[in-house]
Amino acid sequence: MKKRLILLAGLGVGYVLGSRTGRQSYEKLKAQAQDLWTDPRVQDTVEKANQSIREKSPAVADAVQTAADKVNSAAGTGSGAAGAAGTGSAGSKSTGTPPVKDDVIADPERDLDDEGPAGLSEDT
């Protein structure tokens, strides 16, 4: 029992001292990070990176659109973002794909309160 009390007292003292030291280290690290972030050289680099992103984003968007158009045409769903959303929908005859059924499992003969997740119905 005495050994256990000594162990608990040691753990308590270590926790208190460690938390004080840990808090001081945290505050020091936080201050260093703040000083680094507010350094004009870092802010200049951040601004250059932002400017580069702003300049290159239209070209990247065009490249992504071109790649999407190629994938859509290869898949036979039409071309462009509007084609992917519109021509591949249910009832489409132009692509040669069968119409897509609704992704909802429901029985119109049952009350809506009886409906639940698929596979959990008692009367299947």
Side-chain angles (χ1 to χ4, degrees):
M1 183 71 168
K2 186 177 179 180
K3 290 180 182 180
R4 194 174 284 178
L5 287 175
I6 293 172
L7 176 65
L8 288 175
L11 288 174
V13 169
Y15 174 77
V16 169
L17 293 176
S19 65
R20 285 183 186 163
T21 304
R23 183 67 181 181
Q24 290 171 351
S25 298
Y26 167 75
E27 292 295 334
K28 184 178 177 183
L29 181 63
K30 183 179 169 184
Q32 288 174 343
Q34 184 65 30
D35 290 342
L36 179 65
W37 182 250
T38 57
D39 187 344
R41 294 175 293 180
V42 172
Q43 288 302 311
D44 189 39
T45 303
V46 168
E47 184 55 38
K48 286 178 184 176
N50 284 336
Q51 184 63 31
S52 176
I53 290 169
R54 279 188 222 108
E55 290 172 359
K56 294 179 182 180
S57 61
V60 171
D62 289 342
V64 169
Q65 183 62 46
T66 302
D69 289 344
K70 287 180 182 178
V71 168
N72 285 337
S73 64
T77 60
S79 63
T87 61
S89 61
S92 173
K93 304 283 186 204
S94 63
T95 61
T97 60
V100 178
K101 294 182 180 179
D102 289 336
D103 194 19
V104 177
I105 300 173
D107 185 0
E109 299 293 321
R110 293 179 64 181
D111 186 23
L112 288 177
D113 293 334
D114 294 337
E115 295 290 328
L120 297 178
S121 178
E122 292 128 14
D123 61 350
T124 54

